[in-house]
Amino acid sequence: MNIDEALHYIHAVCWKGSIPGLSRINALLDKMGHPERSLKFVHVTGTNGKGSTCAMLASILHQAGYRTGLYTSPYIERFNERMQIDGEMISDEELCDITAYIQPMADSIFEQPTEFEMVTAVGFEFFARHHCDIVVCEVGMGGEFDATNVILPPEVAVVCNIGLDHTEYLGDTLEKIAQTKAGIIKPGCEAVIYRETPSVEAVFEARCRQVGAHLTKADFDSLQLISRTLAGQRFRWGRFDQVELPLLGEHQLRNAAVALTTATVLQKKGWNITDGDIRRGLAQVRWPGRFELLREDPLFIIDGGHNPQCIEALVKNIRDYLADRPLTVLTGVLGDKDYHCMYANVAPYVREFLTVTPDNPRALQAPALAEYLRRFEKPVTACDTVADGVRLALEHTGKDGAVLCYGSLYMLGDVKAALRAMPDGL
């Protein structure tokens, strides 16, 4: 099996999309000998910030000397990004080997697993084969019935910021969504939550009482920004002063507070993590596609924000980092997203829109998005390809301006590749 064959099998169109339930993944893992049961986990859910928080925690644990797995989704440029050990992606060779190993078992169970269940099984096998000391595992969607929730009680169950997303599966209120996400909190484990409204926090408090888990609420009160530039931020939190974080935005400071709280809980559980490890882990974390600076002349920033909370954070970042810069927005979306919320609050800061079509079957075509954006009474150009969009964005943006590429994460890999291919003069 080569890499194209492996990815074709994983992404096969005959496979189902997102179907909640643990029966299929349990049946598959049972045939595999349950590799996940040999591993320890930090399990992370939430609507926004869970990927960044996972990256911070994995970086901290790696700095502490632990062989650390990281399981996340989606990816920016390569599928292999979804499973990493100590910052190194799974190789094509091992991805093929594990997929070929699992394929006959997946084909033989009573109901074929979904794509995400297959990917999760590959990830668990990968981490087990390499005897990871701990795996930082991001939930795919929700929590209680997510494929990753087959794991035994984790070292810490972490709940990041909750918003209204995937409401058709998870519920139409924050409290209903919290109820689903609280399902990752298991008997006897530690739990850390992002600070929410009292009614949402009450859901997690009740779950912890029910299963006998100890709850810690992230400390936001001691969080204080010291300085920020496009190179990163410096802040203080609790006993830590002058903490460096390369991830940009006020929301990332709150994510860092969740990671710091979790690291402190792990220290109390006996994990050998020093305060120096925590500092170095945060200073060296990398998480692409989240208000990421790709080029300085002109400024070229990409961001994968697409739901209301992400857009709120994006607008705050525009005010904080791009004030007084003429803004060219390069954008593409999936047709099933609420794109009015994605553009209405950003449009006042935009000089020009350029639209592209993301490489995804659910993508909204660039001309259709351009037609929609004309309601904001800004110049709009629909581009034939992502590369054309990148070229026009660079040509149209002056030295004092900035390009902001945001919308679907599915287009960011193509944007990065196109930008790398551009001559230095552009």
Side-chain angles (χ1 to χ4, degrees), residues 3 18 46 81 86 91-92 112 137 143 284 286 308 318 360 370 426:
I3 188 62
S18 181
E81 296 168 26
D86 293 338
S91 68
D92 285 354
Q112 207 168 28
C137 180
Q284 296 182 27
R286 298 292 180 266
I318 291 170
N360 186 282
L426 274 179

Side-chain angles (χ1 to χ4, degrees), residues 76-77 288-290 292 294 302-305 386 405-418:
I76 302 297
E77 295 190 77
R290 280 72 176 180
E292 179 186 7
L294 297 184
I302 61 173
D303 189 87
V386 169
C405 174
Y406 82 100
S408 172
L409 277 169
Y410 292 100
M411 71 177 177
L412 298 189
D414 289 336
V415 169
K416 282 190 164 189

Side-chain angles (χ1 to χ4, degrees), residues 36-53:
E36 80 286 359
R37 294 181 183 174
S38 69
L39 300 165
K40 294 182 182 296
F41 290 89
V42 174
H43 203 189
V44 184
T45 189
T47 307
N48 297 307
K50 59 185 184 291
S52 299
T53 304

Side-chain angles (χ1 to χ4, degrees), residues 338-411:
D338 178 6
Y339 38 90
H340 182 73
C341 95
M342 297 176 62
Y343 298 109
N345 293 330
V346 175
Y349 304 94
V350 177
R351 181 187 64 181
E352 176 185 11
F353 286 106
L354 302 172
T355 65
V356 297
T357 305
D359 184 14
N360 186 282
R362 292 153 46 212
L364 183 68
Q365 295 300 303
L369 179 57
E371 184 62 30
Y372 168 81
L373 290 173
R374 290 192 177 96
R375 70 183 58 196
F376 298 112
E377 299 182 342
K378 304 291 176 76
V380 183
T381 303
C383 304
D384 292 335
T385 66
V386 169
D388 286 342
V390 170
R391 177 180 53 79
L392 283 176
L394 294 173
E395 289 177 353
H396 291 192
T397 303
K399 189 175 183 65
D400 295 327
V403 179
L404 173 62
C405 174
Y406 82 100
S408 172
L409 277 169
Y410 292 100
M411 71 177 177

Side-chain angles (χ1 to χ4, degrees), residues 24 71 105 190 194 199 319 334 351 362:
R24 293 173 302 274
Y71 180 69
M105 291 179 277
E190 295 284 337
Y194 186 104
S199 63
R319 292 173 182 157
L334 302 187
R351 181 187 64 181
R362 292 153 46 212

Side-chain angles (χ1 to χ4, degrees), residues 6 95 128 139 217 344 355 423:
L95 178 57
V139 165
K217 298 178 182 180
T355 65

Side-chain angles (χ1 to χ4, degrees), residues 40-193:
K40 294 182 182 296
F41 290 89
V42 174
H43 203 189
V44 184
T45 189
T47 307
N48 297 307
K50 59 185 184 291
S52 299
T53 304
C54 283
M56 294 181 205
L57 288 168
S59 185
I60 289 168
L61 287 161
H62 172 59
Q63 288 298 318
Y66 292 106
R67 185 186 291 269
T68 304
L70 175 62
Y71 180 69
T72 59
S73 59
Y75 61 93
I76 302 297
E77 295 190 77
R78 297 191 68 211
F79 176 88
N80 309 51
E81 296 168 26
R82 297 183 64 172
M83 49 201 80
Q84 305 179 26
I85 296 176
D86 293 338
E88 295 294 324
M89 295 183 290
I90 187 172
S91 68
D92 285 354
E93 180 181 12
E94 189 160 16
L95 178 57
C96 294
D97 181 63
I98 294 176
T99 303
Y101 162 69
I102 295 176
Q103 180 178 1
M105 291 179 277
D107 289 343
S108 70
I109 63 175
F110 62 93
E111 184 180 359
Q112 207 168 28
T114 67
E115 176 179 337
F116 184 72
E117 289 164 350
M118 181 66 187
V119 177
T120 300
V122 171
F124 287 163
E125 179 69 18
F126 172 55
F127 300 132
R129 288 187 181 189
H130 288 268
H131 307 289
C132 286
D133 299 309
I134 192 164
V135 176
V136 181
C137 180
E138 180 186 352
V139 165
M141 184 181 69
E144 181 179 6
F145 299 111
D146 184 77
T148 62
N149 206 32
V150 295
I151 65 172
L152 298 174
E155 295 296 288
V156 189
V158 182
V159 183
C160 297
N161 192 14
I162 291 177
L164 292 172
D165 204 4
H166 301 298
T167 53
E168 67 274 26
Y169 296 105
L170 307 181
D172 56 2
T173 69
L174 293 178
E175 291 77 15
K176 289 178 182 176
I177 291 172
Q179 188 72 49
T180 302
K181 294 183 184 299
I184 72 165
I185 301 173
K186 295 187 173 71
C189 78
E190 295 284 337
V192 171
I193 65 169

Side-chain angles (χ1 to χ4, degrees), residues 223-359:
L223 188 62
Q224 183 180 355
L225 174 68
I226 297 172
S227 63
R228 64 171 170 244
T229 69
L230 283 167
Q233 307 183 82
R234 193 179 293 265
F235 67 97
R236 60 176 58 95
W237 179 88
R239 67 185 184 274
F240 293 90
D241 194 16
Q242 302 291 333
V243 182
E244 296 181 6
L245 183 70
L247 306 182
L248 304 180
E250 185 178 288
H251 63 294
Q252 293 291 12
L253 298 183
R254 292 190 290 272
N255 293 335
V258 175
L260 283 159
T261 303
T262 304
T264 300
V265 167
L266 286 168
Q267 286 178 320
K268 292 177 181 176
K269 280 181 66 73
W271 288 83
N272 186 20
I273 304 168
T274 69
D275 286 358
D277 297 329
I278 294 172
R279 284 182 174 277
R280 287 189 295 275
L282 290 178
Q284 296 182 27
V285 67
R286 298 292 180 266
W287 192 235
R290 280 72 176 180
F291 210 74
E292 179 186 7
L293 177 63
L294 297 184
R295 186 165 174 160
E296 294 187 358
D297 185 17
L299 286 180
F300 198 112
I301 293 171
I302 61 173
D303 189 87
H306 59 271
N307 63 38
Q309 284 183 312
C310 291
I311 298 304
E312 183 180 338
L314 179 61
V315 170
K316 181 71 165 59
N317 282 348
I318 291 170
R319 292 173 182 157
D320 289 343
Y321 294 96
L322 304 176
D324 303 322
R325 288 182 178 270
L327 196 61
T328 300
V329 165
L330 176 64
T331 187
V333 294
L334 302 187
D336 55 3
K337 292 297 181 181
D338 178 6
Y339 38 90
H340 182 73
C341 95
M342 297 176 62
Y343 298 109
N345 293 330
V346 175
Y349 304 94
V350 177
R351 181 187 64 181
E352 176 185 11
F353 286 106
L354 302 172
T355 65
V356 297
T357 305
D359 184 14

